[in-house]
Amino acid sequence: FNPSDIFKLNEDMLNYIKVDLARQRRTEGNELALYNALYDKKGMRITYDARRTKTAIETFNDRTGNCLSLVIMTAAFAKAMDFPVTYQEVHMDEQTTNIDDLYFASRHVNVVIGKKWAARVRDNTNEPLLKIDFLSPSEISGQVATSLRENTIIAMYLNNRAAEILAEKKHSQAYWWLRQAIQFDPSYSPAYNTLGIIYWQKGFYQYAKPAFEAALALEPDNLNVMSNLAQIYLLNGEFERGEKLVAYVKENRPAPYLYYFRLGKAEMNSANYPEAKTLFTKELKREPEHHEVHFWLALAHYRLNEFSEAKVHLSKAQ
């Protein structure tokens, strides 16, 4: 895979710039035309889909993607139109999804198109500075955001694809995606964590250990990495180090992430729907915005013939 393909535009996208956006730019201005095209129902109207991280071309063709896919496609258009691009990580609670026994923690990114304020003041222009994000302004209002280099965005894409491929049990393919991710940004800690998981699943505990240690060195407060490293210490026979980390994680995270959710799913499998409902409700107090918790709580309500409650939580999940 050639990472430059991430931002590549195809003929349809170039025509979209020449025809559709050219017409809008005459009436709306430069960056605003692209901004409106992304959100207007008559424009591209990209809808959210967390299943797979996509290139600019794939996102444009499918009209769907996750937040990183939207960032990549927007940046590709903006660069082709000679607009300044700034990438940002928005520091919010990580969203976690699970496939089988793997839990994926997702970070939120967006992109800003237009000149930074200082540059606009210097050259006396009035070009807009526009933030492209799946979340509404109210959802990210007050959240701290830090700028990201484009190499980090590429590393994020490669790491995401590695994790998605890993979920299909294709360890060797995932490994090569991760090698590229680390080459593009050696300081991007999630890539080392994903690498550690590949080694862990293949039974190469001696290689998983330095991978998790590298991730933790880059991000010392990451409890997910600590938890992974603790298990590897225990598997390697380093019981004192492992138990010390387990205790630290437990102290700082009283119940593991989605703990009651997992217990609730087990109760659903045993057809103990009242207890499952209690556990899902308990998890919802900790994770009120988690779509899977709402979905499974809806199933519990449904099994108990509580259809109006099921409908409420299905709507929230959606």
Side-chain angles (χ1 to χ4, degrees):
F1 178 80
N2 185 349
S4 65
D5 291 342
I6 295 172
F7 296 100
K8 187 181 291 184
L9 277 70
N10 61 14
E11 199 61 38
D12 288 339
M13 297 168 79
L14 293 171
N15 285 334
Y16 192 86
I17 293 173
K18 292 175 184 175
V19 179
D20 298 76
L21 289 180
R23 184 166 53 246
Q24 290 175 258
R25 288 170 78 179
R26 285 194 292 270
T27 58
E28 299 171 353
N30 292 323
E31 286 96 329
L32 193 59
L34 176 57
Y35 179 90
N36 289 336
L38 288 163
Y39 290 109
D40 188 5
K41 290 181 180 179
K42 296 179 181 179
M44 287 178 267
R45 191 59 175 176
I46 307 300
T47 57
Y48 187 78
D49 181 2
R51 288 174 294 181
R52 183 174 178 273
T53 309
K54 301 175 181 179
T55 65
I57 291 174
E58 291 168 338
T59 306
F60 180 80
N61 288 344
D62 298 342
R63 297 298 201 270
T64 63
N66 58 19
C67 67
L68 183 56
S69 305
L70 178 66
V71 164
I72 288 168
M73 189 201 70
T74 303
F77 271 113
K79 290 194 288 185
M81 299 165 74
D82 293 323
F83 299 157
V85 174
T86 305
Y87 305 101
Q88 295 188 138
E89 179 178 354
V90 183
H91 298 283
M92 307 173 67
D93 290 339
E94 291 181 334
Q95 295 297 307
T96 302
T97 54
N98 70 295
I99 301 174
D100 295 330
D101 293 327
L102 282 178
Y103 283 79
F104 298 92
S106 303
R107 304 181 182 195
H108 188 69
V109 293
N110 61 29
V111 61
V112 177
I113 55 174
K115 295 177 182 176
K116 291 186 178 179
W117 178 253
R120 288 159 59 193
V121 171
R122 275 199 305 272
D123 63 14
N124 228 5
T125 65
N126 195 28
E127 292 297 311
L129 184 107
L130 300 169
K131 191 178 295 178
I132 309 299
D133 202 311
F134 270 123
L135 298 180
S136 67
S138 62
E139 290 177 285
I140 57 176
S141 175
Q143 301 289 349
V144 175
T146 54
S147 295
L148 298 173
R149 296 179 299 123
E150 186 163 280
N151 274 14
T152 304
I153 291 293
I154 294 171
M156 284 182 167
Y157 171 86
L158 295 167
N159 178 65
N160 277 20
R161 290 296 298 127
E164 290 155 5
I165 293 165
L166 178 59
E168 300 171 6
K169 311 297 184 185
K170 297 176 181 176
H171 296 83
S172 295
Q173 289 185 33
Y175 171 81
W176 289 106
W177 285 82
L178 280 175
R179 274 181 63 100
Q180 286 188 297
I182 292 169
Q183 287 168 355
F184 266 87
D185 189 352
S187 66
Y188 184 58
S189 64
Y192 297 96
N193 184 62
T194 310
L195 180 61
I197 290 169
I198 290 177
Y199 286 137
W200 183 359
Q201 289 196 342
K202 296 299 288 183
F204 300 137
Y205 306 139
Q206 72 275 27
Y207 300 135
K209 175 183 167 180
F212 288 135
E213 287 176 337
L216 195 60
L218 290 164
E219 207 170 352
D221 297 326
N222 192 311
L223 294 176
N224 293 326
V225 177
M226 281 186 209
S227 181
N228 291 339
L229 182 57
Q231 297 307 310
I232 293 301
Y233 282 152
L234 295 172
L235 289 167
N236 278 334
E238 299 177 67
F239 300 114
E240 186 177 346
R241 298 180 77 181
E243 288 166 1
K244 185 178 179 181
L245 263 187
V246 168
Y248 181 87
V249 172
K250 187 176 182 180
E251 182 181 347
N252 289 274
R253 184 196 287 160
Y257 189 74
L258 296 181
Y259 175 72
Y260 301 112
F261 172 66
R262 292 197 288 273
L263 292 180
K265 287 177 71 175
E267 295 296 341
M268 289 290 286
N269 291 334
S270 301
N272 188 358
Y273 305 124
E275 181 61 18
K277 182 177 79 170
T278 299
L279 289 163
F280 292 142
T281 302
K282 195 170 183 178
E283 189 65 70
L284 208 58
K285 290 178 181 178
R286 303 198 308 165
E287 297 293 332
E289 302 298 325
H290 201 292
H291 63 283
E292 286 193 87
V293 180
H294 280 290
F295 175 75
W296 280 85
L297 180 55
L299 289 181
H301 281 301
Y302 178 80
R303 291 295 188 181
L304 294 167
N305 296 322
E306 298 167 354
F307 302 122
S308 59
E309 291 91 342
K311 185 177 180 181
V312 168
H313 288 288
L314 276 178
S315 296
K316 289 183 177 180
Q318 187 179 38

